[in-house]
Amino acid sequence: MAALRPPRLDAAADEVARIAAAAPDWASLAAAARPCLACPELAAARRHVVVGDVPATGRPRFVLVGEAPGATEDETGRPFVGKSGALLDLLLAEAGLDRSSGAVLNVVKCRPPGNRTPKAFEVARCSGWLRRQLQLLDAPVVVALGLSSAKWFLGPRTVLAAVRGRPHEVDGRSVWATYHPSAAIRFGPNGAPRAGLLADLTAVAGTLA
């Protein structure tokens, strides 16, 4: 069984991890995360800290973890509500998964300027929030959407094509790594990322039936 290895921490990452670990419940964690200033560039440019969506009641059946908020997510304060979110909702429905029964999170909670890939230190500083979210939600299955998310769970040398299509046990959870919906959009409706994402979501649904 693989175990998540904490990223190399600097003082800001260590402080986030300390604050997050002390949060007794989701509401407390969300309240602590929203004013976060650990990454000055992201904090200066953001409109919202996108904490994540969770089911209204009960333990989520699964957790979806993307990379970082985009423009629409930053504007609304909710994850996966732009074009990628619309496609994700469509594919979830095709796979037989109800988004409302799962949680939707990102590795990094603030939008990087220009939708650039989050920097390693930004991922490290934000990791305390995600780690505590996963502990509080205690979902049996996690779907890592895209390479950045896959690397967070499976390590920095992860190659998406080599790890997708099957579960990986990490800290007692089944982690499935698959394509990000943005890749499915980029390669089009007949591209391999869309087909692979749907196949992986369908496989996840089969484990939850």
Side-chain angles (χ1 to χ4, degrees):
M1 179 182 73
L4 292 174
R5 289 176 291 179
R8 188 174 298 171
L9 299 182
D10 61 11
D14 189 52
E15 180 67 4
V16 166
R18 183 190 66 79
I19 294 170
D25 52 40
W26 182 268
S28 300
L29 184 69
R34 288 190 182 103
C36 182
L37 299 175
C39 302
E41 182 184 7
L42 302 190
R46 76 181 181 223
R47 296 184 66 178
H48 291 95
V49 173
V50 183
V51 178
D53 285 350
V54 295
T57 58
R59 178 191 186 197
R61 298 181 68 216
F62 58 91
V63 177
L64 305 170
V65 181
E67 178 181 84
T72 306
E73 290 77 15
D74 181 54
E75 182 178 348
T76 63
R78 294 189 59 217
F80 283 99
V81 292
K83 290 182 179 179
S84 291
L87 178 59
L88 178 61
D89 289 349
L90 176 65
L91 296 182
L92 285 170
E94 289 186 21
L97 292 170
D98 180 2
R99 173 167 170 161
S100 67
S101 68
V104 187
L105 313 173
N106 279 304
V107 171
V108 172
K109 311 303 183 188
C110 298
R111 181 195 181 200
N115 288 347
R116 63 164 172 75
T117 301
K119 298 175 182 178
F121 76 87
E122 293 166 344
V123 172
R125 290 178 182 181
C126 214
S127 285
W129 301 125
L130 179 56
R131 193 175 301 275
R132 184 59 177 150
Q133 286 178 322
L134 294 171
Q135 291 171 346
L136 290 172
L137 295 171
D138 193 29
V141 175
V142 175
V143 181
L145 298 169
L147 184 58
S148 291
S149 181
K151 286 181 175 180
W152 195 91
F153 287 97
L154 302 178
R157 296 184 179 180
T158 297
V159 176
L160 192 56
V163 298
R164 61 159 294 269
R166 67 187 189 278
H168 303 264
E169 189 175 354
V170 181
D171 286 354
R173 305 180 186 91
S174 290
V175 174
W176 293 72
T178 189
Y179 297 105
H180 194 282
S182 64
I185 292 173
R186 187 164 61 252
F187 284 89
N190 297 318
R194 177 167 176 156
L197 175 54
L198 177 57
D200 292 337
L201 292 175
T202 301
V204 169
T207 70
L208 296 173

